[in-house]
Amino acid sequence: MLAQIMPGTEEYLSTHATSAYLGTDPTADSLHIGHLCGIMMLRHLQHCGHKPYLLVGGATGMIGDPSGKSQERNLLDSDTLYHNQEAIKRQAARFLDFDGNEANRAELVNNYDWMKDFTFLDFARTVGKHITVNYMMAKESVRQRLNGTARDGLSFTEFTYQLLQGYDFLHLYREHGVRLQLGGNDQWGNMTTGTELIRRTLGADSEAFALTCPLITKSDGKKFGKTESGNIWLDPQRTTPYAFYQFWLNVSDVDAEKYIKIFTDLDRETIDGLIAEHRSDPGQRKLQKRLAEEVTLLVHSPDDLKLAVEASNILFGKATKESLLRLDERTLLDVFAGVPRYDIDRQRLSEGIKAVDLCVDLAPIFPSRGEMRKMTQGGGVSINKEKLTTYDAVITPADLIDERYLLVQQGKKRYFLLTAK
């Protein structure tokens, strides 16, 4: 989990109960799995007796960080930022203890609280005079934008971002005794600006440190947390627990060995044992299954994990009509996202329709009545996970799942989802 560390950080952590902070971007009302490495760093920190601060960038979120970006972000209004902050805290509370009585209980802070009344003149006098333009221009995040192909270049607003983030560290250093900043490795430049500002403002002997985790990427080099359809979110309304579970279940062997060390609380002995067991029989995918279970439990709940496993079995194992009916609509659509889908006439269904007419005329699942009759007689056709005993059984609206869907199964692995409209 370690990418870069300032000299003296390890020694300071081993001899002091340390307060440390991690900044997070409030541009959405949910964290995604790209944030999890940093959150796990805070979790380990708290478990070891140190005090974690989660900083929500309400002020900096109104500007946008140029690090790793090719264009400037949209600015957010204060109501949206407050809503996002509260949602992020609820999610982070699954990893960090905000409510305990211990001195190292986690705290959430918002830099908007100390920046909203900070005038430009205050900023120029307090911050600007300590950091030279030469120093700022040398930062890789700035040079990439200035030398890149972005049409709009780099605005003054974004150029000053590293100073704003640096002032966050200075403020937390003074007001809360924070001595360490954590973050992803793309934040190294901004973080070292903070330690430099502290030393130039408070004296060269001021103890301020930075520690980064690697930017987690998949084995194919793509950015972690992205799929073709977007982020894998921690919010179950954005990414269902089933889809979340499936993401981890389907990672490569190489990624599974890396992720289980970063995104779980399992001890080293357990992890080494799982890796050895997996390498002896990769086809069982025991490592991926344990990884998916552990992370889904951390982010969601035992009930959500049970539902995710049950939903997975609908496609890949034995399942019943009852397990199908327990799925909410979003999970149902996630489970069968890749299967052929057909719209059927609700009016025809309301009058009662023979299964053979449904699967031949309304939806082209079978090319002919004869073929459907033959497969039905062989026990190879199911509707909503119940085998058809006769090909002319009558289907009515009472058979619909969520009053909208019918699941037709042809053989063991071919599924079709019908939607009544």
Side-chain angles (χ1 to χ4, degrees), residues 6 20 22 54 95 128 153 163 170 177 188 206 220 236 289 378:
M6 289 189 67
L22 173 85
L54 182 62
F95 298 84
L163 296 183
L170 176 61
W188 181 254
S206 301
D220 60 6
K289 289 176 183 177

Side-chain angles (χ1 to χ4, degrees), residues 84-283:
N84 292 353
Q85 170 189 310
E86 294 306 300
I88 288 170
K89 183 178 181 180
R90 286 193 298 271
Q91 290 181 344
R94 294 197 61 84
F95 298 84
L96 306 171
D97 180 7
F98 287 91
D99 301 317
N101 296 318
E102 302 296 329
N104 73 322
R105 68 180 179 274
E107 294 194 32
L108 183 136
V109 292
N110 187 333
N111 61 13
Y112 183 72
D113 293 336
W114 58 82
M115 293 300 298
K116 64 181 185 294
D117 299 320
F118 202 35
T119 69
F120 181 77
L121 289 177
D122 291 335
F123 182 76
R125 286 170 55 87
T126 306
V127 181
K129 71 175 182 177
H130 291 293
I131 303 293
T132 66
V133 171
N134 306 61
Y135 180 87
M136 296 169 69
M137 294 280 287
K139 297 295 182 180
E140 185 179 359
S141 59
V142 173
R143 285 191 286 106
Q144 284 179 344
R145 283 288 294 276
L146 289 177
N147 299 330
T149 57
R151 282 187 309 173
D152 300 330
L154 181 69
S155 70
F156 175 77
T157 307
E158 285 192 300
F159 180 59
T160 57
Y161 186 93
Q162 61 177 288
L163 296 183
L164 293 171
Q165 185 169 328
Y167 182 72
D168 287 341
F169 199 173
L170 176 61
H171 176 87
L172 293 174
Y173 189 100
R174 283 171 161 165
E175 301 299 322
H176 298 279
V178 172
R179 295 296 183 264
L180 171 65
Q181 184 179 174
L182 308 173
N185 205 36
D186 60 339
Q187 293 295 309
W188 181 254
N190 294 338
M191 293 163 70
T192 53
T193 295
T195 60
E196 187 69 14
L197 179 63
I198 288 168
R199 292 188 179 96
R200 293 188 184 187
T201 303
L202 303 179
D205 57 345
S206 301
E207 295 181 299
F209 305 97
L211 184 158
T212 65
C213 63
L215 288 182
I216 308 298
T217 58
K218 295 182 286 186
S219 56
D220 60 6
K222 292 181 180 178
K223 188 175 179 180
F224 185 75
K226 299 288 186 180
T227 67
E228 291 180 2
S229 58
N231 280 325
I232 302 294
W233 300 94
L234 306 196
D235 184 344
Q237 297 305 311
R238 287 173 174 257
T239 299
T240 63
Y242 163 77
F244 187 86
Y245 175 82
Q246 283 293 317
F247 173 85
W248 301 100
L249 195 63
N250 290 308
V251 299
S252 69
D253 292 348
V254 173
D255 286 339
E257 289 192 15
K258 178 169 61 173
Y259 296 164
I260 202 163
K261 298 172 184 176
I262 295 173
F263 299 112
T264 75
D265 286 329
L266 297 175
D267 59 63
R268 183 169 186 162
E269 183 180 358
T270 302
I271 289 173
D272 288 346
L274 284 166
I275 290 174
E277 191 176 1
H278 175 78
R279 288 178 177 176
S280 68
D281 188 4

Side-chain angles (χ1 to χ4, degrees), residues 300-314:
H300 296 294
S301 71
D303 287 343
D304 289 328
L305 173 61
K306 183 179 178 182
L307 179 67
V309 173
E310 203 168 66
S312 300
N313 288 336
I314 291 173

